[in-house]
């Protein structure tokens, strides 16, 4: 994350938000702050809609807002500014978030150890007394913040597919084993069904081996750390959650869009400003709830940038 040491806390927060391309692009605003806590507002936009049929915000938008607000809370808790990065993030969705309504995340850094910061928060929509979601996150303190030297030109979809190799760990053994270099791909959803998925421009490769691979094309407004640079951790969370939703739709033909119950992501390393890939599996599926997991990588599926799991409420037939 971009750190502006030496500034006052208020000046630092404003510089922090304006310095994050994704936060600036989405219009996030600081509405309250103090020692160890901060509140951020995400202005309503049609773009954030995840389900036009039910008029709901995409849960990935809440994850990006929560990750950003939690990061600001950590910065507000520090006496001296230093670089830090998200280790993991958990979202619990308490009720469906309505589209085209402003959303606020109130985050508090409740424990600051020598190496790790612990943050919790709640997300509200204007006009509602009860939160729509809660967040718990941990951040590693004093991380590297020098410009990365591992950047190469972004691979094309066919180049990335040609480089994929079989994972060897037990945890990831159900994921992809091979992909032909000429694997075709299509937009992940039909136009108009989910504006946020269209904003991310997620594409799906043809059904292969254990299931389709989803691709998140890189664009500059997805950057969360302009110093490294690196893709916003909240964007990775939104991509991973989207991939799991699309996977469940793919493996349950004819159903509506599942609804997120909870979501947890662990970050392995910072994501370079290149195309990002994801593949999912269903761990367990009952009549009403499914548990899915996703591996997110860039140039090698054996070196994921993040792994995530989530519970999803499956639509009833009449829904």
């Amino acid at each position: 994350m971009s750190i502006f040491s030496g500034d006052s806390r208020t000046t630092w927060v404003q510089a922090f938000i304006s310095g994050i391309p994704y936060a600036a692009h989405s219009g996030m605003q600081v509405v309250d702050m103090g020692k160890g806590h901060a509140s951020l507002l995400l202005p309503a936009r049609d773009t954030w809609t995840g389900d036009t049929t039910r008029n709901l915000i995409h849960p990935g938008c809440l994850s990006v807002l929560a990750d950003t607000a939690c990061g600001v809370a950590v910065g507000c808790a520090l006496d001296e500014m230093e670089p830090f990065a998200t280790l993991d993030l958990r979202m619990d969705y308490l009720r469906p978030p309505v589209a085209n309504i402003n959303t606020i995340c109130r985050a508090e850094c409740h424990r600051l150890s020598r190496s790790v910061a612990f943050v919790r928060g709640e997300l509200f929509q204007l006009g509602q007394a009860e939160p729509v979601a809660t967040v718990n996150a941990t951040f590693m303190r004093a991380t590297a913040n020098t410009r990365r030297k591992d950047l190469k030109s972004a691979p094309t979809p066919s180049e990335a597919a040609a480089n994929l190799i079989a994972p060897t760990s037990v945890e990831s053994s159900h994921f992809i084993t091979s992909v032909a270099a000429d694997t075709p791909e299509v937009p992940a959803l039909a136009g108009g069904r989910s504006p946020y998925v269209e904003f991310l421009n997620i594409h799906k490769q043809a059904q292969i081996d254990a299931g389709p691979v989803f691709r998140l094309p890189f664009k500059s407004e997805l950057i969360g750390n302009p110093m490294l640079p690196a893709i916003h951790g909240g964007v990775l969370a939104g991509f991973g959650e989207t991939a799991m939703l699309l996977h469940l739709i793919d493996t349950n033909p004819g159903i509506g869009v599942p609804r997120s119950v909870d979501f947890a992501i662990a970050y392995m390393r910072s994501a370079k400003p290149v195309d990002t890939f994801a593949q999912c599996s269903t761990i367990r599926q009952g009549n009403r709830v499914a548990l899915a997991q996703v591996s997110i990588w860039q140039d090698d599926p054996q070196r994921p940038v993040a792994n995530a799991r989530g519970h999803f409420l499956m639509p009833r037939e009449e829904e």
Side-chain angles (χ1 to χ4, degrees), residues 95-134:
R95 48 188 50 82
V98 180
N100 293 308
I101 296 180
N102 291 351
T103 306
I104 291 178
C105 180
R106 301 171 184 167
E108 174 197 10
C109 182
H110 60 93
R111 165 71 173 145
L112 194 64
S113 73
R114 184 178 301 177
S115 300
V116 180
F118 299 86
V119 189
R120 59 193 170 205
E122 294 181 318
L123 290 88
F124 295 82
Q125 292 196 290
L126 295 189
Q128 298 185 13
E130 299 295 327
V132 294
T134 60

Side-chain angles (χ1 to χ4, degrees), residues 9-255:
R9 184 170 285 110
T10 300
T11 302
W12 174 83
V13 169
Q14 297 297 338
F16 181 85
I17 293 299
S18 63
I20 298 176
Y22 186 93
H25 174 79
S26 62
M28 289 185 191
Q29 304 167 22
V30 180
V31 294
D32 183 45
M33 56 163 291
K35 179 65 174 178
H37 67 88
S39 296
L40 261 63
L41 179 143
L42 177 68
R45 287 186 186 176
D46 290 340
T47 306
W48 309 146
T49 303
D51 184 347
T52 53
T53 302
R54 291 180 291 187
N55 194 38
L56 301 178
I57 292 178
H58 192 291
C61 297
L62 303 187
S63 297
V64 183
L65 174 62
D67 184 45
T68 307
C70 289
V72 174
V74 172
C76 288
L78 297 171
D79 292 325
E80 294 184 12
M81 291 301 113
E82 62 185 40
F84 51 89
T86 316
L87 286 175
D88 59 44
L89 181 89
R90 176 186 169 93
M91 300 289 297
D92 289 293
Y93 302 105
L94 308 182
R95 48 188 50 82
V98 180
N100 293 308
I101 296 180
N102 291 351
T103 306
I104 291 178
C105 180
R106 301 171 184 167
E108 174 197 10
C109 182
H110 60 93
R111 165 71 173 145
L112 194 64
S113 73
R114 184 178 301 177
S115 300
V116 180
F118 299 86
V119 189
R120 59 193 170 205
E122 294 181 318
L123 290 88
F124 295 82
Q125 292 196 290
L126 295 189
Q128 298 185 13
E130 299 295 327
V132 294
T134 60
V135 58
N136 286 275
T138 57
F139 290 77
M140 175 63 69
R141 296 182 57 184
T143 57
N145 204 38
T146 56
R147 195 161 187 85
R148 66 195 316 154
K149 299 179 176 62
D150 59 349
L151 286 177
K152 299 178 182 178
S153 59
T156 65
S158 59
E159 289 172 338
N163 290 332
L164 296 182
I165 56 178
T168 56
S169 69
V170 174
E171 180 68 20
S172 60
S173 62
H174 56 277
F175 289 124
I176 194 168
T177 57
S178 64
V179 179
D182 59 351
T183 300
E185 65 173 26
V186 296
L189 280 177
R193 188 171 179 181
S194 177
Y196 187 66
V197 173
E198 293 175 23
F199 164 71
L200 293 179
N201 195 25
I202 296 173
H203 280 65
K204 179 180 71 172
Q205 295 182 345
Q207 188 81 17
I208 44 178
D209 295 334
V213 171
F214 299 98
R215 180 173 68 92
L216 173 68
F218 171 72
K219 52 184 176 180
S220 59
E221 54 261 46
L222 302 184
I223 289 290
N225 184 335
M227 295 296 293
L228 289 178
I231 295 176
H232 196 300
V235 171
L236 291 182
F239 174 46
E241 193 161 7
T242 298
M244 288 191 285
L245 286 165
L246 294 173
H247 166 79
L248 291 172
I249 293 173
D250 236 40
T251 53
N252 294 271
I255 71 165

